[in-house]
Amino acid sequence: MNMKQIEKEFLDFVKKISAYNEALGLIYWDLRTGAPKYGVEQRSEVIGLLSSEVFKMSTSEEMAAYIATLSKQLLSEKTSKILQECKREYERNKKVPEEEYKEYVILQSKAESVWEEAKETDNFALFSPYLEKLVDMTKRFVSYWGYQENKYDVLLDMYEPGMTVSLLDQVFHELKDKIVPLVKAVSKSPYKPKTDFLFEKFPKELQREVSLKILEKMGYNFNAGRLDETVHPFATGLNPGDVRVTTNYNENDFRTAIFGTIHEGGHALYEQNISKDLIGTPLCTGTSMGIHESQSLFYENILGRSYSFWKNNFELLKQYAANGQFDGVELEDFYRAINESKPSFIRIEADELTYPLHIMIRYEIEKGLFNGELEVKDLPEIWNEKYEEYLGIRPKNNAEGVLQDVHWAGGSFGYFPSYALGYIYAAQFKHKMLEEFADFNHMVESGELLPIQEWLTEKIHQYGKLKKPIEILKDVTGEGLNPNYLIDYLYKKYTDVYKLN
Amino acid sequence: MNMKQIEKEFLDFVKKISAYNEALGLIYWDLRTGAPKYGVEQRSEVIGLLSSEVFKMSTSEEMAAYIATLSKQLLSEKTSKILQECKREYERNKKVPEEEYKEYVILQSKAESVWEEAKETDNFALFSPYLEKLVDMTKRFVSYWGYQENKYDVLLDMYEPGMTVSLLDQVFHELKDKIVPLVKAVSKSPYKPKTDFLFEKFPKELQREVSLKILEKMGYNFNAGRLDETVHPFATGLNPGDVRVTTNYNENDFRTAIFGTIHEGGHALYEQNISKDLIGTPLCTGTSMGIHESQSLFYENILGRSYSFWKNNFELLKQYAANGQFDGVELEDFYRAINESKPSFIRIEADELTYPLHIMIRYEIEKGLFNGELEVKDLPEIWNEKYEEYLGIRPKNNAEGVLQDVHWAGGSFGYFPSYALGYIYAAQFKHKMLEEFADFNHMVESGELLPIQEWLTEKIHQYGKLKKPIEILKDVTGEGLNPNYLIDYLYKKYTDVYKLN
């Protein structure tokens, strides 16, 4: 068989794996949007069987042979990147002994249910041995996978290819130095936004109408997607022609649905606009968690909580709000209200100013655990100390402290930093947009958001995983990771909102 | 390896095939209930890949080995039936040379699109060569599969295991002899039901409310299902815990949705109540097209168009109908209206009295084609003759004649008789219910439909494919296929509705 034929066979094999993943994606979407509950047990079996087929194919001798043979060839850029992805996956999975991996999967699922109980009963000691074991096993996996500078780099790399502790340390340090004083200044400001008008009853169906209108303005294509309701909002790209968004409606706080929709809409625009040429390959998704999050956060916060955006959309919102919820509310007051910031315990409820601090705390703890500088048993105390240092508040219990997030129970170490990276990237992209669109604010004020989506598609979306995050960042902005744009953005915004000058 | 182990491996293999089919079922449901259209092309690739995996597994050497080894063993009833199903499938697929099968699949898909055009332009000559080729190839397949008495038996057996021409000839003959005169008597009756009040505007959301209420009364379990909207209603059993129903709303004719829902609800009750013990096996579905149809038709017509049913539900319908649609309409008039019968050209729009005649015409034509007594080119003429003979009306063109149904274009020969068998079975089951429930009508009048569902579950649903259709029929009624109960039922009903005495 000649090389062209082998390459074609390899691409067919990869296409098959993608097909399984697409079917799995639909099953997950369905489970979260209304699958009948009595069918779930059997559906889990189906998930198990299809996932194990994917695993088998990704780690098969057939795959090994393709990697071995094709790695020596001169390939097109696309095939070569696909091969790299497959190799990455193959090695990650093959280097861990099968028995240990099975043990780990069982541990994960036990740990999640123990974590739930521990959180409910505020009992860290219950969860602690599981967390210890998860950290130990993950450390062992890291040693199988191999690392260069820092063990934790290997975990960062899973979510943000190329990211390292040495870079994050520096960037987070700068960020912390600037944000902590800003948070303090905001706390002390006597000019608090009024927010009472946010919490009036806004019927679900009308919130849905507003959500649909805003998605459309953003450039979300309803021929390639749909909006459904779930407890936890998400976006899922089954293929670029089918990228679904969900949101959650709180009738006493319209912000949940509207900003949730805009956030997921940002993720969805990314997935809808990946080049069709990448369909059926592992490159047909966002290049990293961080870049993905940069898209959702750009839309949700930088755009969606901007004065210009609401200058265009406040009338729309007023129109749909029942019972004159915003009668007599000035745009200025509305803008300040949706940008209220205050230190809080729960990460997922945090505002955009304090959010990065929640992340840094988790980053420092994870890094400490994997470098042997911290022990699991000490986490509650360390956690609370850090909240006091960074945010000036101390959790009263572990449920609102160290036990709040499911991530560690699921073994997801190295994941948290992506959220903060998303903020940093988003601010860098925004800065570039200001340079390239002379009339950026005016455009947003007039509701012309399509040029923004087109710009993001041209520079980011279309590439999928063809470019690494750092390549994207450099090609778009001309520089590397730089927290100063986020810092500037936050200073300008919160100085204004809280009248700090 | 010992036999127990081989049996376990076989059952695991079968479970895997079921898992793929369940995933495919969900994909089909999704495509029909709102999948974004730009994603369909890629989704079709996914369907193609998963289906071809199912085909490969069903015809694999692994499967052949299980069949060969386990056929010689003493197995549990369940395993033995599973093995039979697998063998049936294996042989059906293996006996046709691969090249011919591929040619056939291409022909099918071409024929369907040619049929569409032919129907639109009333041009039978366009479709005729494709139909000829489909019949020829199917004949050849029948010769590969082998047959005993009649070639057409092999095709009947695909949808109704065990059904034969000699039995159907006799049964359909009796049915025709009795129904044709009844149809004529009805046509001549001066007492036509008034129907104008059926066609007032009934808002979709309210039709949905009524549909949900009736499904619930029937015993449909919403923890194991959901109701969605589609152009063509259907029910799909992904597993007994997830059996979904769809319906279609016509705001100017509530009957479409209500009777459509009841019909699909009947199918769904069957699938929801199959023994959980059969999950993950090919036995976990209805035993045949005909028995399945008996459940939907029992609920839609025998129960759902009965006087007793509406004695209980007319108030409910009135309550949801907007603008007093049924004000001043007596239950008696309503009952007569929903049982209006008149000869018509289109099968899927036919009432329960004339429907079986539409089926018999197709049956006679198919049988003639496969036994060499008819030629494709003569079908339009034969079709029209038969409509005149059976129903007293003659189609004006082929679109409302021989070209109306997609079945033949898809190569589905032998399928049509199942619809009529469903009516016959349903009437046989109803007769037995009358014997076993002393107060059947009173029960229905009081809305107590659960005992009926429980009875059907005990006698039919739970078994899935563990029993063949004829076994079900004999075990439930104590006799074989007998059209007299349907004849009696139709005579009683239409004598009453059209005041024939």
Side-chain angles (χ1 to χ4, degrees), chain B residues 139-411:
Chain B
K139 277 184 187 166
R140 216 180 320 144
F141 290 3
V142 169
S143 73
Y144 296 140
W145 293 325
Y147 65 96
Q148 298 190 311
E149 238 176 275
N150 192 306
K151 283 185 192 170
Y152 188 58
D153 286 353
V154 181
L155 302 173
L156 289 173
D157 183 79
M158 284 177 68
Y159 305 99
E160 205 61 21
M163 192 49 58
T164 62
V165 166
S166 75
L167 181 56
L168 269 190
D169 274 350
Q170 175 205 326
V171 164
F172 280 180
H173 186 77
E174 287 180 54
L175 206 54
K176 179 186 156 187
D177 269 4
K178 295 287 168 45
I179 291 186
V180 170
L182 180 56
V183 168
K184 284 195 179 131
V186 160
S187 292
K188 283 183 198 147
S189 164
Y191 300 102
K192 306 288 187 224
K194 266 191 280 188
T195 58
D196 54 319
F197 53 80
L198 298 176
F199 308 105
E200 285 173 36
K201 186 176 161 100
F202 198 140
K204 202 156 133 168
E205 306 77 47
L206 297 173
Q207 290 191 41
R208 180 174 154 86
E209 292 301 316
V210 179
S211 299
L212 292 171
K213 285 237 156 33
I214 292 181
L215 278 176
E216 202 180 338
K217 283 189 175 187
M218 287 166 63
Y220 178 80
N221 187 339
F222 281 96
N223 283 320
R226 47 184 285 169
L227 174 66
D228 293 88
E229 183 182 355
T230 47
V231 178
H232 301 289
F234 67 97
T236 181
L238 303 174
N239 69 56
D242 187 352
V243 182
R244 307 180 183 196
V245 172
T246 74
T247 198
N248 176 260
Y249 300 99
N250 176 345
E251 292 208 322
N252 298 313
D253 188 348
F254 73 93
R255 296 176 306 173
T256 307
I258 303 301
F259 291 108
T261 303
I262 301 176
H263 182 97
E264 301 309 333
H267 283 303
L269 288 182
Y270 195 171
E271 298 278 332
Q272 281 191 336
N273 293 299
I274 293 172
S275 164
K276 294 199 177 21
D277 197 36
L278 301 179
I279 289 177
T281 80
L283 308 179
C284 196
T285 184
T287 187
S288 72
M289 273 292 307
I291 298 288
H292 232 307
E293 207 62 22
S294 77
Q295 301 306 293
S296 52
L297 291 171
F298 170 78
Y299 275 98
E300 179 193 350
N301 291 322
I302 297 188
L303 193 74
R305 292 185 204 263
S306 71
Y307 188 83
S308 307
F309 181 83
W310 288 103
K311 192 157 177 187
N312 183 259
N313 289 298
F314 193 38
E315 277 310 312
L316 173 75
L317 189 72
K318 275 186 172 172
Q319 201 183 308
Y320 282 94
N323 314 317
Q325 176 170 0
F326 302 110
D327 285 0
V329 176
E330 297 295 320
L331 172 58
E332 174 70 26
D333 295 328
F334 178 80
Y335 168 68
R336 294 186 67 213
I338 59 169
N339 284 294
E340 187 190 31
S341 170
K342 55 184 178 197
S344 61
F345 296 114
I346 306 297
R347 176 184 61 84
I348 57 168
E349 294 166 7
D351 54 79
E352 82 181 306
L353 173 58
T354 56
Y355 192 96
L357 299 177
H358 291 262
I359 296 305
M360 283 179 231
I361 292 170
R362 288 154 178 78
Y363 165 71
E364 290 171 17
I365 290 176
E366 289 189 350
K367 192 179 62 166
L369 284 173
F370 283 91
N371 289 316
E373 293 148 8
L374 291 182
E375 283 188 59
V376 165
K377 70 173 174 44
D378 302 323
L379 290 197
E381 185 55 25
I382 293 165
W383 182 282
N384 292 352
E385 292 292 325
K386 284 189 187 283
Y387 265 77
E388 198 143 6
E389 180 193 344
Y390 284 63
L391 286 151
I393 54 175
R394 196 177 179 92
K396 287 178 300 296
N397 56 54
N398 292 317
E400 65 178 24
V402 68
L403 287 174
Q404 69 181 263
D405 287 315
V406 69
H407 300 58
W408 292 343

Side-chain angles (χ1 to χ4, degrees), chain A residues 15-16 19-20 22 30 34 36-39 42-43 45 49 53 221 223 225-226 238-239 241-242 244 279, chain B residues 15-16 19-20 22 30 34 36-39 42-43 45 49 53 221 223 225-226 239 241-242 244 279:
Chain A
K15 204 182 203 175
K16 190 164 141 186
Y20 280 65
E22 182 164 334
D30 181 69
K37 67 178 180 182
Y38 289 180
Q42 165 59 13
R43 192 64 35 79
E45 294 257 343
L49 274 157
E53 287 303 308
N221 187 339
N223 282 321
R226 48 184 283 170
L238 303 175
N239 69 56
D242 188 351
R244 305 179 184 197
I279 290 178
Chain B
K15 203 183 204 177
K16 190 164 142 186
Y20 279 66
E22 183 164 334
D30 181 69
K37 66 178 182 182
Y38 288 0
Q42 165 59 12
R43 192 66 34 79
E45 294 256 343
L49 275 158
E53 288 302 309
N221 187 339
N223 283 320
R226 47 184 285 169
N239 69 56
D242 187 352
R244 307 180 183 196
I279 289 177

Side-chain angles (χ1 to χ4, degrees), chain B residues 5-44:
Chain B
Q5 274 172 295
I6 295 179
E7 185 180 337
K8 194 191 163 301
E9 274 194 10
F10 166 65
L11 292 175
D12 282 344
F13 192 56
V14 157
K15 203 183 204 177
K16 190 164 142 186
I17 297 177
S18 298
Y20 279 66
N21 282 325
E22 183 164 334
L24 282 163
L26 181 66
I27 294 175
Y28 285 120
W29 172 84
D30 181 69
L31 279 176
R32 295 175 71 176
T33 54
K37 66 178 182 182
Y38 288 0
V40 171
E41 195 182 324
Q42 165 59 12
R43 192 66 34 79
S44 306

Side-chain angles (χ1 to χ4, degrees), chain A residues 264-329:
Chain A
E264 301 308 333
H267 283 303
L269 288 181
Y270 195 172
E271 298 279 331
Q272 280 190 337
N273 294 300
I274 293 172
S275 164
K276 292 195 178 25
D277 197 37
L278 301 180
I279 290 178
T281 80
L283 308 180
C284 196
T285 185
T287 189
S288 72
M289 274 291 308
I291 297 288
H292 232 307
E293 207 62 23
S294 77
Q295 301 305 292
S296 52
L297 292 171
F298 169 79
Y299 275 100
E300 180 193 350
N301 291 324
I302 297 188
L303 193 73
R305 292 186 203 264
S306 71
Y307 188 84
S308 308
F309 182 83
W310 288 104
K311 190 155 179 188
N312 183 260
N313 290 299
F314 194 39
E315 276 311 310
L316 173 75
L317 189 73
K318 274 186 172 171
Q319 200 181 309
Y320 282 94
N323 313 317
Q325 175 170 359
F326 301 111
D327 285 0
V329 176

